[in-house]
Amino acid sequence: PAPDGGPGADELHLPETEVTLAQLFQQAGYATGMVGKWHLGHAEPKWLPTHRGFDEYLGIPYSNDMRPVQLVQRDERLEYPLVQATLTQRYTAPALEFIQKNRNQPFFLYLPHAMPHKPLAVSEAYYQKSGSGLYGDVLQELDACIGLVLAKLKELQIDDQTLVMFTSDNGA
């Protein structure tokens, strides 16, 4: 089923003529992986990350506020409907595995977490733990998971040769 993103939402996609960072890195011999929100085209398999330079992909192909939300691996639906409360944890685990697996070669990992995009959701381990409401809980879990990624780079002794960039798609 198509997500409820309004009229024409299924036809929106990154033009095939655009070159992605993943395609450039892949051409340069890097292992490329994506775990997270794509939102650059979902209605056709050719618009999904594994057709745009990513060797591996696990995530939601559009925003988590579009219904119904599905979890996709490569080109296949893995879970539908998706339970978003576990999404931050479920993104972090394969990201860590990707880093571990590719530690001895150049790699590009794109990890766009869905949180703190609304609707907010957090795992049981962080629910009502921050003292700052649901938004605070979500940020605390996200911070912990990013900490795990940084710790993995340090553990593998590749932190001093890895560039980590943080951005936001919905403002600060």
Side-chain angles (χ1 to χ4, degrees), residues 121-147:
V122 69
S123 70
E124 256 329 287
Y126 288 88
Y127 182 63
Q128 295 186 337
K129 300 290 193 229
S130 71
S132 298
L134 183 57
Y135 189 75
D137 297 342
V138 166
L139 290 181
Q140 190 173 53
E141 181 171 41
L142 186 58
D143 184 60
C145 287
I146 295 301

Side-chain angles (χ1 to χ4, degrees), residues 101-134:
K101 180 173 71 173
N102 295 291
R103 68 189 177 277
N104 294 321
Q105 65 180 357
F107 66 83
F108 172 63
L109 172 63
Y110 178 47
L111 177 59
H113 277 280
M115 296 302 139
H117 193 285
K118 290 183 179 179
L120 297 173
V122 69
S123 70
E124 256 329 287
Y126 288 88
Y127 182 63
Q128 295 186 337
K129 300 290 193 229
S130 71
S132 298
L134 183 57

Side-chain angles (χ1 to χ4, degrees), residues 32 45 48-51 54-59 72-77:
T32 57
L48 291 173
T50 51
H51 298 273
F54 288 100
D55 301 316
E56 300 177 25
Y57 170 59
L58 174 74
V72 173
Q73 186 167 33
R74 296 201 54 78
D75 297 349
E76 302 294 322
R77 180 184 296 158

Side-chain angles (χ1 to χ4, degrees), residues 1-168:
D4 182 17
D10 287 346
E11 297 308 312
L12 297 174
H13 63 89
L14 181 68
E16 285 96 320
T17 55
E18 293 292 329
V19 178
T20 68
L21 281 173
Q23 289 167 318
L24 292 175
F25 281 119
Q26 196 176 54
Q27 290 168 7
Y30 283 59
T32 57
M34 180 184 167
V35 182
K37 173 187 168 188
W38 175 242
H39 211 179
L40 294 173
H42 62 267
E44 298 284 335
K46 67 182 178 182
W47 299 338
L48 291 173
T50 51
H51 298 273
R52 299 308 303 264
F54 288 100
D55 301 316
E56 300 177 25
Y57 170 59
L58 174 74
I60 57 175
Y62 39 79
S63 182
N64 68 319
D65 63 350
M66 297 169 70
R67 299 285 191 263
V69 180
Q70 62 182 329
L71 185 66
V72 173
Q73 186 167 33
R74 296 201 54 78
D75 297 349
E76 302 294 322
R77 180 184 296 158
L78 193 62
E79 184 178 326
Y80 171 82
L82 173 66
V83 175
Q84 293 194 46
T86 60
L87 200 51
T88 300
Q89 298 285 333
R90 290 179 72 187
Y91 281 174
T92 302
L96 296 172
E97 290 169 15
F98 180 85
I99 292 168
Q100 179 74 35
K101 180 173 71 173
N102 295 291
R103 68 189 177 277
N104 294 321
Q105 65 180 357
F107 66 83
F108 172 63
L109 172 63
Y110 178 47
L111 177 59
H113 277 280
M115 296 302 139
H117 193 285
K118 290 183 179 179
L120 297 173
V122 69
S123 70
E124 256 329 287
Y126 288 88
Y127 182 63
Q128 295 186 337
K129 300 290 193 229
S130 71
S132 298
L134 183 57
Y135 189 75
D137 297 342
V138 166
L139 290 181
Q140 190 173 53
E141 181 171 41
L142 186 58
D143 184 60
C145 287
I146 295 301
L148 292 173
V149 171
L150 296 175
K152 176 58 76 174
L153 295 172
K154 189 172 184 87
E155 170 195 323
L156 297 173
Q157 299 179 351
I158 57 174
D159 57 318
D160 64 344
Q161 53 189 310
T162 303
L163 178 62
V164 177
M165 297 181 354
F166 289 91
T167 66
S168 172

